[in-house]
């Protein structure tokens, strides 16, 4: 039933459409979901325009007039500042909470004292505890390794804790002095003028992240979940993450998972049908393994800082950040976003590659049950790259390629849908 008063955020009425509802933390598909979007700063408006066109065309191709996304603009970053004197207006945050989903272009992170990244604020305020980064190779994309196609991994990075929790004390400050005195009581002596940062890892946050990674592996037919940690050095944080992750796997997924010991003692090194392997690697060994044995990896679950480094390293291996999508997901809310920044050097020049935002939109489409449209976008993107019609960042490393501007690249993908 239509409500009497028109729903609005930031004084902007919401268009006709349906709200995505969540059941047991998962969205229930609807035909005309309302999806808020933030264009973003720098190259944001250009890559968003191309992405939106492609996604709309893919929905049209897949479902005709039966289903489609109802886009609703919300504001943040430069546009939020300009219109509402706030880089993260309350109405935008409310809209994301209300609709349980959003997609965003990159936002400029203000540098300098006291100003926290809008991206980090969004993740923390909405408790988006999983940072999900699928990394795969697209045929033809220039890469620095010999067999980039061997890496096909989905990284689940814990998004709320670790050294990102923001518990830091400036060297020489009163607070740092108090913390130093408390530590002295524990037998820890610090040098004078020491900056202090505190790493926090909890059982609850570790378990929910590992649970999400295992559930994803089960639902997407991925056979291995690797817990990546630095527990040999940081025993009560990184080591605890590993312990809690293994404990969770045992408690909640015992019938469908095996450990590395069982793999060899009971199954001769072959993962049996219907089971997934839960193993672990120390973080530094993992950086070696992604390069040298990429085929052994499938899903990675890890702590915040390890995940930050590892996702960019993996993205570099398959051809760079321009093609690496990302999502920040919580229970009942998710934000999909380009993983690169605002690229001020090429902003407004119609040169940017919309690939990262487009592939994030693919994740969004799958999240809200628009899988056929998602498959079409991926197919069309693959074909456009194989045809060697690409934006400058890719064209530079591709022989015989045709360099296209952002909008022409978008049109080429639409033509290939
Ligand atoms: P950046 O990712 O914006 O740029 C690094 C280099 O990659 C530049 O040469 C740029 O031209 C190129 N590049 C990035 N995206 C591209 C694309 N789609 N197509 C073609 N080339 C592309 O990183 P930078 O310069 O460190 O950061 C700029 C701003 O973006 C900063 O304010 C930073 O805080 C912010 N940022 C925002 C993020 C977000 O909103 N999620 C993530 C990373 C940075």
């Amino acid at each position: 039933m239509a409500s009497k008063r028109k729903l609005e955020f930031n004084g902007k009425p919401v268009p006709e459409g349906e709200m995505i509802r969540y059941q047991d933390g998962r969205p229930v598909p609807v035909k005309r979901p309302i999806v808020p979007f933030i264009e973003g700063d720098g190259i944001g408006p250009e890559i968003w325009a191309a992405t939106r066109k492609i996604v709309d065309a893919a929905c049209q191709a897949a479902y005709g007039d039966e289903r489609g996304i109802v886009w609703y603009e919300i504001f943040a970053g430069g546009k939020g500042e300009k219109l509402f004197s706030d880089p993260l207006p309350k109405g935008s945050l409310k809209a994301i909470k209300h609709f349980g989903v959003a997609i965003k272009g990159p936002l400029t992170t203000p540098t300098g004292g006291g100003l926290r990244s809008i991206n980090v604020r969004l993740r923390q305020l909405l408790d988006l505890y999983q940072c999900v980064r699928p990394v795969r190779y697209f045929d033809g994309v220039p890469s620095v390794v010999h067999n980039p196609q061997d890496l096909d991994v989905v990284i689940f990075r814990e998004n709320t804790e670790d050294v990102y929790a923001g518990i830091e004390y400036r060297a020489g400050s009163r607070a740092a002095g108090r913390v130093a005195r408390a530590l002295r009581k524990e037998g820890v002596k610090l040098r004078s003028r020491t900056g202090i940062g505190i790493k926090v890892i909890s059982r609850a946050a570790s378990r929910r992240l590992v649970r999400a990674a295992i559930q994803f592996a089960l639902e997407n037919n991925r056979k291995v979940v690797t817990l990546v940690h630095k527990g040999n050095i940081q025993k009560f944080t990184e080591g605890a993450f590993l312990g809690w992750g293994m404990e969770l796997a045992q408690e909640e997924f015992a019938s469908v998972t095996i450990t590395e010991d069982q793999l060899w003692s009971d199954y001769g090194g072959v993962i049996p049908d219907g089971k997934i392997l839960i193993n672990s690697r120390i973080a530094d060994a993992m950086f070696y393994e992604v390069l040298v044995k990429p085929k052994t990896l499938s899903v990675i679950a890890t702590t915040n800082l390890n995940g930050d480094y590892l996702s960019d390293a993996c993205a570099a291996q398959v051809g760079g950040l321009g093609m690496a999508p990302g999502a920040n997901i919580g229970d009942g809310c998710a934000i999909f976003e380009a993983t690169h920044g605002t690229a001020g050097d090429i902003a407004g020049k119609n040169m940017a590659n919309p690939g990262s935002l487009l592939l994030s939109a693919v994740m969004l489409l799958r999240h809200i049950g628009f899988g056929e449209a998602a498959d079409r976008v991926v197919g069309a993107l693959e074909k456009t790259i194989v045809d060697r019609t690409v934006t400058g960042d890719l064209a530079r490393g591709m022989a015989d390629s045709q360099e296209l501007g952002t909008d022409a690249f978008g049109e080429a993908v639409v033509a290939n849908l």
Side-chain angles (χ1 to χ4, degrees):
M1 225 170 50
S3 66
K4 280 183 200 137
R5 212 159 55 89
K6 198 127 177 82
L7 187 62
E8 58 174 49
F9 297 92
N10 297 322
K12 213 176 155 265
V14 175
E16 288 295 321
E18 295 167 84
M19 219 181 104
I20 296 160
R21 289 186 195 288
Y22 282 79
Q23 221 167 39
D24 303 325
R26 306 289 174 94
V28 181
V30 291
K31 287 189 173 162
R32 304 222 153 267
I34 299 168
V35 177
F37 69 90
I38 296 167
E39 272 187 349
D41 300 322
I43 57 171
E46 299 158 70
I47 58 173
W48 169 248
T51 296
R52 179 175 173 163
K53 259 192 211 152
I54 297 165
V55 171
D56 285 344
C59 289
Q60 183 65 35
Y63 314 114
D65 294 333
E66 269 294 291
R67 301 175 72 183
I69 295 179
V70 178
W71 301 110
Y72 173 55
E73 181 165 18
I74 56 172
F75 307 91
K79 226 169 169 179
E81 190 77 65
K82 193 169 155 207
L83 297 173
F84 304 96
S85 309
D86 186 351
L88 184 55
K90 283 199 181 74
S92 301
L93 195 63
K94 274 190 190 160
I96 301 175
K97 264 190 195 161
H98 182 83
F99 292 110
V101 68
I103 182 161
K104 62 172 275 294
L107 296 171
T108 306
T109 299
T111 42
L115 292 167
R116 288 181 62 211
S117 146
I118 302 164
N119 301 307
V120 174
R121 272 168 67 199
L122 279 170
R123 288 169 204 166
Q124 289 180 345
L125 290 169
L126 298 166
D127 196 24
L128 306 176
Y129 61 88
Q130 312 159 36
C131 177
V132 184
R133 297 271 297 266
V135 184
R136 58 156 282 199
Y137 180 65
F138 282 83
D139 204 15
V141 169
S143 163
V144 291
V145 301
H146 293 301
N147 294 303
Q149 70 284 351
D150 287 353
L151 185 65
D152 177 0
V153 71
V154 181
I155 301 171
F156 281 71
R157 161 187 167 197
E158 205 289 322
N159 223 4
T160 63
E161 297 196 326
D162 202 345
V163 288
Y164 291 70
I167 312 172
E168 289 209 298
Y169 305 96
R170 196 188 302 273
S173 67
R174 283 179 164 194
R178 286 194 294 272
V179 176
R181 280 193 291 283
L183 287 174
R184 203 171 302 140
K185 286 185 190 152
E186 300 299 325
V188 178
K189 262 193 176 169
L190 298 180
R191 294 191 178 93
S192 65
R193 294 197 73 79
T194 293
I196 303 170
I198 294 185
K199 178 178 176 96
V200 286
I201 304 272
S202 71
R203 179 170 182 263
S206 303
R207 283 171 64 100
R208 68 181 180 173
L209 189 269
V210 173
R211 181 183 294 118
I214 297 177
Q215 269 163 353
F216 175 87
L218 288 169
E219 286 163 16
N220 292 277
N221 201 23
R222 286 182 173 257
K223 302 293 284 175
V224 186
V225 176
T226 305
L227 307 190
V228 176
H229 64 95
K230 189 69 190 164
N232 55 329
I233 303 297
Q234 301 163 41
K235 295 187 179 8
F236 304 129
T237 49
E238 295 277 330
F241 170 83
L242 171 65
W244 289 322
M246 287 296 183
E247 167 197 89
L248 179 281
Q250 188 54 40
E251 276 175 29
E252 295 185 10
F253 299 98
S255 63
V256 286
T257 57
I258 57 168
T259 61
E260 204 147 37
D261 283 348
Q262 289 168 324
L263 175 70
W264 294 104
S265 63
D266 302 355
Y267 300 101
V270 180
I271 304 168
D273 283 344
K275 304 257 187 203
I276 57 176
L277 169 67
I278 310 287
N279 61 7
S280 67
R281 294 288 180 272
I282 292 176
D284 42 273
M286 192 60 173
F287 279 88
Y288 176 83
E289 206 153 312
V290 289
L291 270 172
V292 178
K293 294 193 274 178
K295 278 189 178 169
T296 58
L297 303 168
S298 184
V299 174
I300 289 173
T302 190
T303 50
N304 208 336
L305 183 61
N306 292 334
D308 194 356
Y309 295 156
L310 202 52
S311 353
D312 279 15
C314 289
Q317 202 165 317
V318 297
L321 287 176
M323 299 296 292
N328 296 292
I329 303 178
D331 295 327
C333 193
I335 299 181
F336 299 83
E337 65 175 352
T339 52
H340 53 72
T342 51
D345 50 341
I346 55 167
K349 295 184 180 160
N350 191 30
M351 287 168 70
N353 178 0
S356 173
L357 189 57
L358 181 61
L359 289 168
S360 305
V362 165
M363 295 176 80
L364 160 75
L365 287 168
R366 295 199 197 288
H367 184 74
I368 60 176
F370 279 52
E372 299 88 345
D375 291 342
R376 283 189 186 247
V377 175
V378 173
L381 181 63
E382 282 171 343
K383 175 152 188 346
T384 312
I385 295 171
V386 167
D387 288 349
R388 296 173 182 270
T389 43
V390 290
T391 47
D393 54 318
L394 300 184
R396 274 192 288 282
M398 261 178 169
D400 305 325
S401 56
Q402 186 191 348
E403 183 175 334
L404 299 180
T406 310
D407 51 7
F409 178 75
E411 279 157 25
V413 178
V414 169
N416 285 328
L417 279 167

